[in-house]
Amino acid sequence: MTNTNTPGHLWLDELSTTEAAKAAIEGKVVIFPVGSVEEHGEHLPLCTDSIQPEYIALEVARKTGCLVAPPFRYGIINAGRNFPGSLTIQFSTLFSVAKDILSELSRNGFNRIIILSGHAGSSHMVALRLAAQEVVYQNGEQNGKQRTRIMVLSDYDFADELTAELADPKDGHAGTIETARVMAIRPDLIKSKGIPSTYDMPRFEVVLHPEQYFPSGVHGDPTAATTEKGQKINAHIIAQVIKLVEELES
Ligand SMILES: [Zn+2]
């Protein structure tokens, strides 16, 4: 579909109340970006997981005419929580915030929603998914159809599809892929080349100081990152999220 948004009006909260009512009636899809404040080695900023989904969401909105809800830039940090600058929130907090935002979007008539999270920790994703589930269940059916449709994903669900081609198979947190993506999005926030390293967490034990298993805060090789790789990964994610928007519009 073609973009009918007023130029510059990609953010939901840049609309007026009248425009918001119209957008809801038109059945616009809304992307809700969720990030985190989390250590990403010495070479990437704490907002790494926030700027990635926000960039993807805005590019998708530019191309499809969907809207981007104001982002929520906090998440549940486990492995990296003791590094300076990491700010974690509780599971119940993330669940409540996500549920409130989804319920409010729905109450305003926006019933096609994508939660796009830049942080992909397992408990973080479960909190978002449970919030979406509760809103979908509560809203039930309308005219024999599910009233509210919500997709919950991390942009790393799609970035990982290019790992085999562009990075080491074990590439992870603040590694090649993530560093390359930030180089392509906000080169001014790259602090250094980064230090290649890996971590080896205990498989089952809950530990007080998980950072001792990865003192650099990096899992992968940031020095193998390039802007070109980042552009390629971001373009792939944008194309995949556009397909999701079209699926929700159909
Ligand atoms: Zn990250």
Side-chain angles (χ1 to χ4, degrees):
M1 75 171 273
T2 51
N3 187 353
T4 53
N5 287 349
T6 313
H9 287 182
L10 306 172
W11 295 104
L12 174 62
D13 62 346
E14 288 188 358
L15 302 179
S16 67
T17 181
T18 318
E19 289 169 331
K22 185 166 166 278
I25 288 167
E26 288 171 356
K28 293 246 185 206
V29 172
V30 174
I31 302 179
F32 174 32
V34 176
S36 69
V37 184
E38 182 189 20
E39 73 77 22
H40 276 77
E42 61 167 45
H43 63 295
L44 294 177
L46 300 168
C47 66
T48 290
D49 288 354
S50 300
I51 59 179
Q52 293 174 93
E54 289 167 21
Y55 170 78
I56 298 293
L58 287 172
E59 289 303 306
V60 170
R62 240 183 277 286
K63 292 184 166 81
T64 65
C66 76
L67 291 166
V68 185
F72 186 66
R73 283 184 158 205
Y74 296 90
I76 303 170
I77 315 301
N78 291 315
R81 73 177 186 279
N82 292 330
F83 285 91
S86 288
L87 305 179
T88 187
I89 57 173
Q90 294 182 54
F91 185 95
S92 55
T93 309
L94 182 60
F95 172 81
S96 297
V97 167
K99 194 180 145 224
D100 285 353
I101 303 298
L102 294 170
S103 300
E104 281 298 282
L105 285 169
S106 172
R107 189 177 66 80
N108 276 276
F110 295 104
N111 281 293
R112 306 283 178 268
I113 305 163
I114 296 173
I115 296 185
L116 185 64
S117 179
H119 181 61
S122 52
S123 47
H124 176 92
M125 293 308 293
V126 168
L128 296 175
R129 181 160 284 275
L130 288 181
Q133 211 172 64
E134 196 147 309
V135 172
V136 166
Y137 291 173
Q138 273 175 7
N139 287 353
E141 293 183 354
Q142 193 174 42
N143 305 322
K145 281 187 175 167
Q146 183 174 317
R147 179 152 174 258
T148 307
R149 292 176 65 193
I150 306 171
M151 295 179 174
V152 181
L153 61 142
S154 159
D155 45 2
Y156 274 80
D157 289 319
F158 295 128
D160 288 344
E161 293 170 357
L162 296 184
T163 301
E165 183 190 335
L166 300 174
D168 183 88
K170 285 187 177 162
D171 187 67
H173 183 77
T176 307
I177 299 268
E178 196 161 27
T179 304
R181 293 189 62 202
V182 176
M183 286 169 87
I185 295 168
R186 285 290 303 272
D188 58 308
L189 293 179
I190 302 286
K191 322 283 182 181
S192 65
K193 285 192 77 66
I195 302 162
S197 82
T198 181
Y199 68 48
D200 198 13
M201 284 289 175
R203 190 168 169 206
F204 300 114
E205 190 179 351
V206 176
V207 291
L208 191 59
H209 287 289
E211 68 281 5
Q212 69 185 316
Y213 299 95
F214 75 136
S216 71
V218 174
H219 185 43
D221 182 3
T223 65
T226 64
T227 305
E228 291 69 29
K229 285 182 188 174
Q231 286 166 340
K232 186 170 182 178
I233 300 156
N234 290 333
H236 173 71
I237 300 166
I238 290 163
Q240 298 309 309
V241 177
I242 286 174
K243 284 186 199 167
L244 299 182
V245 170
E246 289 169 350
E247 194 182 323
L248 287 175
E249 286 172 343
S250 66

